[in-house]
Amino acid sequence: MMSMASRISLCAFTTACCAHSAIGQWNSNPAANLAIGDSASDQNNVIVRPTSDGGCYISWLDGQANGWDPRLQKLDRFGNELWAHGGVLVADVALSFTTGYGLSVDPSNNAFLSFQDTRFGGMLITVAKVSPAGTLVWGANGIQVSTSNGSSPRCAALDNGSVVVAWSEGSNVRRQRLDSSGSPLWTAGGMIEPTPGGNSDLICDVVALDFDRAAVSWVRNPSRFLYAQKYGGSGNGFWNAGSPVVIFDGSALQFGYFPTFVATGDGGAAFAWYETGGTRNVYTQRLGNGGMELHPHNGVAVSLNIAGR
């Protein structure tokens, strides 16, 4: 998926109660934003994830070498760069295009990045673990979780130090879980969520829900319906007696649209999306811990004003 190249800038609003933090790098002047990635090339696909100490990780794809390379920077709560300007080069890949990737943070403030990797032939999916000190914990190569060409990997760090990664491969969504040392815990090459014949699943999002459980969502083509499943420690489906939950099978999602979702803190999740048929409304749905729909099937319309759509 191509995206418009842009410089990365970041700004934060300060309040009177924390005006003393001016000793840091944040600037209250919106015309003087903090430059994170400003190399001579372009930067794309920025992701920001908070850390427990009030700071954050910022990742992006940088075109300054021979491809769009994933880079990472860590800021403290005052906006100071904790690593060298320009961040840590996570991998020197040779991608001539940008694509979706994943960034997540565990309770120990380790960052996990999942991305397409050309260094080993083909387009494998790699997961890198980066410590708060900027060290590549799993080495320069990271851990390859796919054995074939994959795309758009998303990841979610769990409270027990492991990480779940899911990606699109062929007509399926595959998933893998790595423990804190980088060892795969599920089937080599990733477990497959079965896709009915004639259909093709594309990854949307991965979110940590419980201590050792994560949920994955995907779009099923050609209908462009939205599905999700919560996976336990062994990779088994936890919701709906092991079958995926159909979040939306009304009209259709926009082509190329992959909605995200969030954890609700009780083992469930909340989803929001818009549909392209009918009134083109926005809808929301919430699933309980066991995957039951807490709103009517196909969600609740966010707006009741449908005139002129």
Side-chain angles (χ1 to χ4, degrees):
M1 295 182 296
M2 296 294 293
S3 62
M4 184 177 294
S6 62
R7 299 288 179 192
I8 298 174
S9 64
L10 192 67
C11 67
F13 296 109
T14 58
T15 62
C17 65
C18 60
H20 65 276
S21 66
I23 58 173
Q25 296 301 304
W26 296 127
N27 195 316
S28 60
N29 179 3
N33 296 326
L34 174 60
I36 302 299
D38 55 357
S39 67
S41 183
D42 294 323
Q43 292 79 42
N44 261 318
N45 293 24
V46 184
I47 303 177
V48 181
R49 295 285 183 263
T51 53
S52 63
D53 56 7
C56 65
Y57 282 107
I58 303 174
S59 64
W60 67 96
L61 301 180
D62 201 301
Q64 63 179 287
N66 62 344
W68 291 99
D69 303 325
R71 285 183 171 267
L72 185 68
Q73 178 61 270
K74 190 174 189 298
L75 302 183
D76 65 17
R77 66 191 183 96
F78 297 116
N80 296 299
E81 293 182 319
L82 298 181
W83 305 336
H85 185 64
V88 170
L89 176 63
V90 178
D92 185 5
V93 299
L95 284 173
S96 60
F97 55 90
T98 62
T99 184
Y101 67 101
L103 172 64
S104 189
V105 182
D106 71 10
S108 298
N109 287 329
N110 295 296
F112 296 85
L113 284 95
S114 55
F115 53 91
Q116 285 182 296
D117 197 339
T118 61
R119 295 175 296 173
F120 311 100
M123 198 77 68
L124 299 184
I125 301 301
T126 291
V127 181
K129 181 178 181 179
V130 185
S131 75
T135 301
L136 296 174
V137 178
W138 292 339
N141 290 339
I143 305 296
Q144 286 67 56
V145 295
S146 66
T147 56
S148 184
N149 290 344
S151 64
S152 301
R154 306 297 198 264
C155 64
L158 305 183
D159 286 346
N160 63 359
S162 65
V163 60
V164 171
V165 57
W167 64 95
S168 301
E169 184 176 314
S171 61
N172 300 107
V173 168
R174 288 180 177 263
R175 62 188 185 276
Q176 182 58 272
R177 181 175 169 181
L178 304 175
D179 65 17
S180 59
S181 66
S183 298
L185 299 177
W186 296 343
T187 304
M191 302 179 73
I192 293 178
E193 185 60 52
T195 305
N199 292 274
S200 177
D201 290 344
L202 295 172
I203 186 69
C204 287
D205 202 8
V206 184
V207 173
L209 299 186
D210 300 321
F211 180 73
D212 66 345
R213 296 186 181 120
V216 179
S217 64
W218 62 92
V219 170
R220 178 160 292 168
N221 288 323
S223 59
R224 303 204 298 279
F225 295 160
L226 181 62
Y227 291 75
Q229 180 58 282
K230 178 179 177 179
Y231 299 104
S234 61
N236 56 299
F238 186 81
W239 282 339
N240 197 28
S243 297
V245 177
V246 182
I247 304 297
F248 175 70
D249 60 356
S251 53
L253 299 180
Q254 177 71 40
F255 182 77
Y257 168 50
F258 305 101
T260 59
F261 67 102
V262 296
T264 54
D266 56 1
F271 299 78
W273 67 94
Y274 70 90
E275 49 84 22
T276 61
T279 59
R280 296 182 180 268
N281 216 329
V282 175
Y283 295 84
T284 182
Q285 178 62 270
R286 180 169 176 172
L287 301 185
N289 179 50
M292 67 292 291
E293 293 181 305
L294 301 183
H295 301 326
H297 183 61
N298 283 328
V300 174
V302 172
S303 175
L304 299 180
N305 180 12
I306 61 175
R309 290 182 182 231

